[in-house]
Amino acid sequence: SATRHSLRSLNGLGDGNPINSAIYLGVTTLAAWWLFPGATKPARCCLLCVMAISVVLMLMTQSRGPLGALMLVLVLLSLQRRSRSDWILWGLAIVVGGFAIWQLDLLTAITNRIDAPNYRMAIWTSAIGLIRDHLLFGQGLGSSADIAFADGSGGTALVSHTHSIFLETFRIGGLIGGFLFVAMLGRLVMARIRSRQRPSFFDFWLVFGLLCLCSNGRHPMIRPSVEWFAFWIPFYLASQFSTPDEAPAAVGQPRPGEISPQGRR
């Protein structure tokens, strides 16, 4: 749509794809939300501004997938840490969002965007057929999907990938490559379950990125792109850094299970 904006169309810099732009802005919003409870009052004001600007820009991209993914991840984050600050943020979001919808007639725009044609199901149906035709080893890295579908205006459009990181992995790598990809993710999940540690910011970043790439992702083994930002970077950080079970002790105070200097005497 001509009314959809991207970072490049807004300031002449950055990604020119509206969906990719929404993913970058979504991670910015998630990071600000994560930092909000422990921030000072001046910092909280700055974080609120960052979140407000990022969400407004996300709305300008009209990208349904990243917006829905962000809402879901923020709900999961709020339920996980049960912070009073999270409920304050949700209250502000509801009040400000309701006021904006009322004053700016955003409900009509939102309804029109929801009702807009979505070609994902047609693309995914064709992608499943390609996977079935090349079941074991897939079509190979570098191959184009070349999926044709009716664009709604009487013409035909052609796409080179399946618009899903999971379907694209199975299309290119077959059952072998697809299951290895799923096993890699499963190993991280099992490590988190065994460690019994609270999810880190990188875990939520990875979940958000995967949710976005489920409806617009390509094969992750490509040149540096949004797939790196939404998958490889948070996957590596989530694998290497986790949230400790206990907060660091204050300077001069013993950690849990540690004998104080006075106790050694």
Side-chain angles (χ1 to χ4, degrees):
S1 172
T3 58
R4 297 186 66 185
H5 292 282
S6 66
L7 292 175
R8 186 178 301 171
S9 69
L10 290 169
N11 60 16
L13 301 173
D15 202 303
N17 185 296
I19 299 177
N20 295 350
S21 299
I23 293 175
Y24 297 128
L25 293 165
V27 175
T28 302
T29 306
L30 177 61
W33 191 294
W34 175 271
L35 294 172
F36 186 84
T40 61
K41 287 184 178 180
R44 284 188 173 190
C45 293
C46 294
L47 292 173
L48 283 173
C49 291
V50 169
M51 285 186 276
I53 293 172
S54 298
V55 170
V56 168
L57 293 177
M58 285 186 76
L59 289 172
M60 294 177 68
T61 68
Q62 298 187 35
S63 300
R64 294 166 290 192
L67 282 166
L70 179 63
M71 291 286 290
L72 178 58
V73 171
L74 291 180
V75 168
L76 294 175
L77 171 58
S78 301
L79 292 175
Q80 185 270 325
R81 66 184 181 185
R82 300 177 184 178
S83 169
R84 179 170 171 267
S85 298
D86 286 326
W87 309 126
I88 293 175
L89 287 174
W90 280 115
L92 287 173
I94 292 172
V95 171
V96 174
F99 181 78
I101 290 173
W102 173 46
Q103 289 292 320
L104 303 177
D105 194 25
L106 293 179
L107 189 58
T108 302
I110 293 171
T111 303
N112 291 338
R113 183 55 189 157
I114 292 175
D115 293 338
N118 192 323
Y119 310 112
R120 293 294 192 278
M121 291 307 300
I123 296 173
W124 292 344
T125 300
S126 299
I128 292 173
L130 292 175
I131 294 171
R132 190 186 303 114
D133 293 340
H134 305 82
L135 190 60
L136 193 57
F137 297 105
Q139 291 186 292
L141 191 64
S143 62
S144 177
D146 293 334
I147 297 174
F149 64 95
D151 60 8
S153 60
T156 302
L158 193 70
V159 294
S160 61
H161 62 94
T162 61
H163 287 70
S164 170
I165 190 172
F166 289 99
L167 286 178
E168 188 71 354
T169 301
F170 276 93
R171 180 187 73 81
I172 288 177
L175 290 180
I176 294 176
F179 282 129
L180 286 174
F181 179 73
V182 173
M184 180 176 65
L185 291 173
R187 187 174 183 274
L188 176 61
V189 173
M190 293 306 298
R192 278 286 182 271
I193 294 175
R194 285 195 297 267
S195 67
R196 297 183 180 181
Q197 291 181 332
R198 292 178 289 110
S200 69
F201 166 73
F202 307 120
D203 294 322
F204 288 104
W205 179 0
L206 178 60
V207 171
F208 170 74
L210 280 175
L211 287 174
C212 294
L213 296 178
C214 278
S215 60
N216 199 61
R218 297 167 294 181
H219 192 273
M221 297 296 294
I222 58 175
R223 66 187 183 280
S225 60
V226 70
E227 282 78 15
W228 285 40
F229 179 79
F231 176 71
W232 287 119
I233 293 176
F235 180 84
Y236 171 76
L237 295 174
S239 301
Q240 300 299 316
F241 304 99
S242 59
T243 304
D245 291 325
E246 299 290 344
V251 177
Q253 296 296 321
R255 295 178 180 273
E258 182 181 8
I259 302 175
S260 66
Q262 292 81 4
R264 295 192 186 100
R265 296 174 183 171

